Amino acid sequence: MHGRPRKAPKPEDTAASAAKAEKLRALQSQLLHNHHNQIYTKEALEISAKLLEANPESYTAWNYRKLAVEHNLSQSESDPDTVKSIISEELRVVENSLKQNFKSYGAWHHRKWVLSKGHSSVDHELQLLDRFQRADSRNFHAWNYRRFIVALKGISDEEELKYTTKLIETNFSNYSAWHNRSVLLSHLLQNKVKGFFPKEKVLVEEYEFVHQALFTDPDDQSGWFYHLWLLDQTVKPETPLLVSTWPVHGSDIIVSAEGCLDGRALSPFTSFHSDAGTFPLILYFNEAVEGVNSSTVTVKSVFTENKDLVWKPLATSKSCAAQAWVTHLNVPDVKLHPSTAYPIEVNLGDSQGIISLSGSHCSHPSRFAFTVCVQPLSSEHVERQGVEMILWRDVNFHFYDAHIQESSPIAYFDRLSIKKDHEPAASKWHAKTLVNEIALVRQLLSEIDCKIGKLTLARLLMAHDAMMSYMAPHSHKKVHSEEVLQLFSDLMELDPMHSQYYKEAQSLVLLQQVTSNRESLLKHCCHHRVSTSSSVGNSVCLRLNNLSLSRIGCVEQLLWVQMLDLSHNELRSIDGLEAMQLLSFLNLSHNKLSSFTALEPLRLLKLLKVLDISYNEIGAHPIDRRRYLCSSPLSHSVGSDWNFNEFVPDDAKVTNYWEAFAIFRGFNLMQLDIVGNAITDEKFKSFLIKVLPTLKWVDGEELH
């Protein structure tokens, strides 16, 4: 257990274990007899006590004693001394069991249950906890029980904070004490208790306190984790904030409802093609929120009633909270008002209701406005309207000239992120604190090579760059990006066991570099040479291929993207893409996607027409070990009306097809590339063609 090697048992130990097992079997047999016959005599309770003192993990015995206590209390309600005796005996049995195993779930839960009956004093409990916490200061069972007792006794958070200080000063390595300290301080800061306001004063004192632990034993992780919590408190806004939208503020959207746009609409910020007669309105927050609806968000439009709008969270789980939310606005009738620009205004934050998972309300009002114009098709475009297969080869793309701003596909780059003067992160105190912490960690690393110290420095530098970009959004670049990338590379060599974690963090830094300014983003924007296709039109492709990415990030900067190339990376997950509601063309080929469950975010992309998932690892692994999002074919709650058997060949293995069916069912794909995956064969292709009747091309071949 926990890395300790097992030793071969000695003969005398084997004999002792056999004798103990025989004794436990006899006690267990007697307990079950008493339990079945509802025998709650003193002798019967003594049998259960002996069993629990020998084996505290016998949940049946604990449940039996609960029934016995309820029965005996009901017989002795008029006699306070008898009631007290019953409760005291239960506490004694629990205490003896904990001496045998002070990490027994059943024993701690039973003790809570006994005290919740209200017939006993809790004064003795803190003394008992002191004994157990001296034996193991990181026993989370004891800490959970302590919080339970503290609540019963009404002990203040301030007093408990002093207790954590005492334990930490005794042993800097007490991770549980540091964790409890963060919980207590969160309550005190949130409630602005006297002596814990302003927040900045408290955080300065806490930084000084944790510095003692870091310099005393840099290799111990307990203090570093608390330092990470302090960093989060330093940079995280206290309330949810709207950070990005599509359409962006001040944009003039040109919508084509019946076909492709003409050459006047070159920018993905201003052009959008809709077959459904609607277009999406996307809100992206800095954290997951719930409560986005027509009451908390007001949309003023002449062609859509605010009360008719339905907001949906863009999350792959069934949670009602998400960072990104979407609703759909109707497209004006082009025949009635051709080329008329309709103003639309969106307001939120004026009334409470949008709330984060931590309970904070979005209290800062936000407003953005844009116009929508429906462009009629010229007869020339109607005549040459057609559909062509999309090819992702380099020769099919050409880059934009960075010096020609009029044709730049990112002309609205400065409006992608919503900057607010009231953001707490954009204050001089926060910036000064980060600079001081960076200098301190650099000093420590100059004296000792410490893995978690390097990781903390990387996080501090990333936080500092993010903060400076808020304070000077038009001039500041990610000045520490190269150093951070090098730190993560060093960590992958020093700590190969966690290399995937460092690789994903490195991917976020790379994406931050790409999206940090207009020039860097423009280097990855290409124009697709196919111009006669009604489906492609003048789409701009954001090419993030060959970057060794293992994670998606910076999605708030990419809501405008309609064509995305993520090929030749190391992606195992595409979480985050669900917010990119305009995506119609997506290349995920040559990655490390191991199953169809990894494609779950695609189910929320209703405009997706072209998908390339060729040369991944789908079917090479027996099961997705990270998660299993798709419903089982044996489930009666989901999928009972899907008629799955109509699509699967008679001799096919159901498990090989179910995930694909659950993901692709209802898609309107025109083009799918899946060659190069272990699961791909002619039977599977035939299955996909049945599931996706709108397909025109599969693996580069046109269907007839």
Side-chain angles (χ1 to χ4, degrees):
M1 182 179 181
H2 299 301
R4 298 176 184 175
R6 292 190 177 189
K7 297 180 181 179
K10 299 178 181 179
E12 56 268 28
D13 294 335
T14 302
S17 296
K20 181 181 178 181
E22 183 63 31
K23 178 182 176 182
L24 287 175
R25 278 194 291 269
L27 291 172
Q28 181 79 7
S29 177
Q30 294 177 69
L31 171 79
L32 293 176
H33 171 77
N34 294 333
H35 193 3
H36 179 73
N37 294 284
Q38 299 181 358
I39 300 173
Y40 304 126
T41 62
K42 182 178 180 181
E43 292 75 16
L45 288 173
E46 286 178 355
I47 291 171
S48 67
K50 289 179 181 179
L51 175 60
L52 288 167
E53 288 171 11
N55 178 24
E57 298 305 318
S58 177
Y59 291 99
T60 302
W62 289 119
N63 290 333
Y64 166 76
R65 291 194 71 90
K66 286 183 176 67
L67 294 172
V69 169
E70 295 283 10
H71 172 79
N72 292 333
L73 286 178
S74 66
Q75 303 294 320
S76 310
E77 290 181 351
S78 59
D79 187 352
D81 292 335
T82 303
V83 170
K84 183 177 180 181
S85 175
I86 294 171
I87 297 298
S88 298
E89 174 62 15
E90 283 305 298
L91 294 175
R92 184 193 67 79
V93 170
V94 175
E95 188 169 341
N96 289 339
S97 298
L98 288 172
K99 290 176 183 177
Q100 174 69 20
N101 178 12
F102 56 79
K103 292 187 177 181
S104 168
Y105 285 89
W108 286 111
H109 283 300
H110 192 72
R111 196 169 187 89
K112 280 186 180 181
W113 178 83
V114 173
L115 288 178
S116 67
K117 305 299 289 182
H119 299 290
S120 176
S121 171
V122 296
D123 294 336
H124 171 68
E125 300 306 299
L126 291 179
Q127 298 174 12
L128 177 69
L129 282 168
D130 284 338
R131 292 210 309 271
F132 285 121
Q133 288 181 313
R134 280 197 298 269
D136 181 5
S137 61
R138 298 179 64 163
N139 184 350
F140 71 89
H141 299 277
W143 279 100
N144 287 336
Y145 187 70
R146 183 180 185 88
R147 283 186 277 271
F148 170 75
I149 294 300
V150 164
L152 280 182
K153 287 180 66 67
I155 298 175
S156 67
D157 288 343
E158 296 94 318
E159 286 299 313
E160 277 298 283
L161 193 66
K162 292 178 182 177
Y163 177 73
T164 64
T165 303
K166 175 184 173 182
L167 291 183
I168 291 169
E169 289 176 343
T170 302
N171 178 13
F172 282 133
S173 186
N174 193 331
Y175 176 85
S176 297
W178 285 112
H179 170 72
N180 204 42
R181 188 177 187 85
S182 67
V183 173
L184 294 166
L185 268 178
S186 295
H187 296 160
L188 293 168
L189 292 172
Q190 186 174 5
N191 297 325
K192 298 182 179 179
V193 175
K194 184 179 180 180
F196 296 87
F197 184 81
K199 181 179 181 179
E200 291 79 5
K201 172 180 174 293
V202 178
L203 292 181
V204 167
E205 295 172 351
E206 290 301 306
Y207 273 117
E208 293 175 354
F209 184 52
V210 78
H211 290 165
Q212 301 176 47
L214 302 184
F215 277 88
T216 300
D217 187 0
D219 288 322
D220 185 82
Q221 296 185 1
S222 303
W224 288 109
F225 278 115
Y226 187 71
H227 188 276
L228 175 60
W229 178 80
L230 289 177
L231 174 60
D232 186 61
Q233 296 299 305
T234 302
V235 301
K236 185 180 179 181
E238 295 183 359
T239 60
L241 298 172
L242 181 69
V243 296
S244 183
T245 69
W246 193 89
V248 297
H249 177 62
S251 59
D252 301 310
I253 303 300
I254 302 174
V255 178
S256 167
E258 299 174 356
C260 62
L261 298 169
D262 63 24
R264 290 176 294 169
L266 293 175
S267 171
F269 288 102
T270 59
S271 62
F272 177 73
H273 170 71
S274 172
D275 290 323
T278 64
F279 66 93
L281 174 59
I282 310 168
L283 304 180
Y284 198 97
F285 296 85
N286 66 324
E287 60 181 310
V289 298
E290 55 187 21
V292 177
N293 52 53
S294 58
S295 298
T296 55
V297 180
T298 303
V299 180
K300 297 179 180 178
S301 167
V302 296
F303 52 84
T304 302
E305 290 286 339
N306 181 67
K307 62 181 178 63
D308 296 332
L309 295 179
V310 177
W311 288 91
K312 296 181 179 180
L314 295 173
T316 54
S317 66
K318 294 182 180 180
S319 171
C320 294
Q323 275 191 271
W325 288 73
V326 67
T327 191
H328 289 83
L329 305 182
N330 294 324
V331 175
D333 190 340
V334 65
K335 296 178 181 178
L336 296 178
H337 304 285
S339 301
T340 301
Y342 296 90
I344 297 177
E345 181 180 323
V346 183
N347 291 276
L348 65 151
D350 294 321
S351 60
Q352 290 192 344
I354 300 176
I355 186 171
S356 69
L357 296 178
S358 63
S360 300
H361 289 270
C362 181
S363 56
H364 298 295
S366 297
R367 174 192 173 276
F368 64 98
F370 55 93
T371 64
V372 175
C373 176
V374 180
Q375 178 179 312
L377 291 178
S378 64
S379 57
E380 175 187 355
H381 278 89
V382 173
E383 290 174 2
R384 66 184 180 93
Q385 183 173 324
V387 179
E388 296 183 16
M389 185 174 69
I390 303 300
L391 299 176
W392 296 96
R393 297 175 301 191
D394 290 341
V395 295
N396 292 93
F397 297 94
H398 68 81
F399 289 95
Y400 281 84
D401 189 340
H403 301 290
I404 305 177
Q405 294 298 322
E406 291 78 8
S407 63
S408 170
I410 51 172
Y412 286 85
F413 176 83
D414 293 337
R415 304 178 193 174
L416 285 179
S417 296
I418 300 174
K419 312 296 183 184
K420 298 179 182 293
D421 295 334
H422 55 253
E423 287 183 357
S427 74
K428 293 182 178 179
W429 177 86
H430 294 80
K432 181 181 177 181
T433 299
L434 288 179
V435 170
N436 290 341
E437 293 304 306
I438 289 170
L440 182 138
V441 176
R442 286 193 194 279
Q443 177 189 343
L444 190 149
L445 290 175
S446 68
E447 301 171 1
I448 185 173
D449 193 18
C450 172
K451 287 187 298 186
I452 196 166
K454 288 179 178 288
L455 178 59
T456 301
L457 178 59
R459 287 166 168 166
L460 285 167
L461 294 173
M462 291 170 65
H464 184 266
D465 277 357
M467 185 172 297
M468 300 314 314
S469 68
Y470 278 111
M471 297 177 72
H474 303 303
S475 60
H476 184 77
K477 296 183 179 180
K478 306 292 184 182
V479 296
H480 295 112
S481 293
E482 294 302 326
E483 182 180 0
V484 173
L485 291 173
Q486 186 59 51
L487 282 168
F488 283 125
S489 295
D490 294 344
L491 284 167
M492 281 186 268
E493 293 184 10
L494 288 170
D495 187 14
M497 184 178 294
H498 300 103
S499 60
Q500 185 60 32
Y501 172 83
Y502 303 130
K503 184 67 179 174
E504 291 187 2
Q506 196 176 54
S507 296
L508 292 181
V509 178
L510 285 168
L511 287 169
Q512 287 169 359
Q513 277 187 321
V514 170
T515 61
S516 62
N517 58 74
R518 182 194 305 266
E519 291 73 24
S520 62
L521 186 56
L522 192 59
K523 292 177 182 177
H524 294 270
C525 289
C526 298
H527 181 70
H528 198 274
R529 291 187 182 277
V530 177
S531 59
T532 60
S533 170
S534 65
S535 59
V536 179
N538 291 307
S539 287
V540 172
C541 181
L542 180 63
R543 304 200 74 190
L544 300 177
N545 54 324
N546 288 299
L547 294 179
S548 298
L549 299 177
S550 59
R551 181 180 175 182
I552 305 295
C554 301
V555 177
E556 69 276 9
Q557 297 283 81
L558 307 177
L559 301 181
W560 54 275
V561 176
Q562 300 179 36
M563 193 174 196
L564 179 62
D565 184 357
L566 287 168
S567 63
H568 295 88
N569 283 299
E570 299 174 18
L571 294 172
R572 301 173 188 269
S573 165
I574 58 171
D575 289 345
L577 287 187
E578 64 273 7
M580 300 173 66
Q581 289 291 290
L582 274 64
L583 265 184
S584 297
F585 314 94
L586 178 60
N587 185 359
L588 293 169
S589 65
H590 297 275
N591 276 283
K592 294 185 178 181
L593 301 172
S594 61
S595 71
F596 286 107
T597 61
L599 302 176
E600 181 73 7
L602 299 185
R603 289 210 54 80
L604 297 172
L605 301 180
K606 305 301 182 183
L607 300 178
L608 195 62
K609 300 293 184 184
V610 174
L611 176 64
D612 188 343
I613 52 174
S614 60
Y615 299 99
N616 275 275
E617 300 174 5
I618 300 173
H621 306 282
I623 191 170
D624 185 351
R625 296 174 182 175
R626 296 180 306 104
R627 58 180 178 174
Y628 198 86
L629 295 178
C630 296
S631 302
S632 163
L634 303 179
S635 170
H636 296 287
S637 59
V638 177
S640 58
D641 59 339
W642 286 3
N643 300 321
F644 174 64
N645 293 330
E646 295 180 7
F647 298 91
V648 183
D650 295 335
D651 57 344
K653 189 176 180 181
V654 172
T655 53
N656 289 342
Y657 289 77
W658 176 257
E659 288 183 356
F661 183 74
I663 292 296
F664 288 126
R665 175 183 175 272
F667 265 32
N668 292 313
L669 290 178
M670 293 191 306
Q671 177 179 327
L672 176 64
D673 293 276
I674 197 171
V675 67
N677 288 284
I679 197 173
T680 307
D681 55 25
E682 290 304 317
K683 283 185 179 180
F684 191 74
K685 284 185 181 180
S686 299
F687 162 75
L688 288 177
I689 292 171
K690 290 181 182 179
V691 174
L692 297 165
T694 56
L695 278 179
K696 297 183 181 296
W697 292 276
V698 175
D699 290 335
E701 297 181 0
E702 187 172 3
L703 302 178
H704 299 287

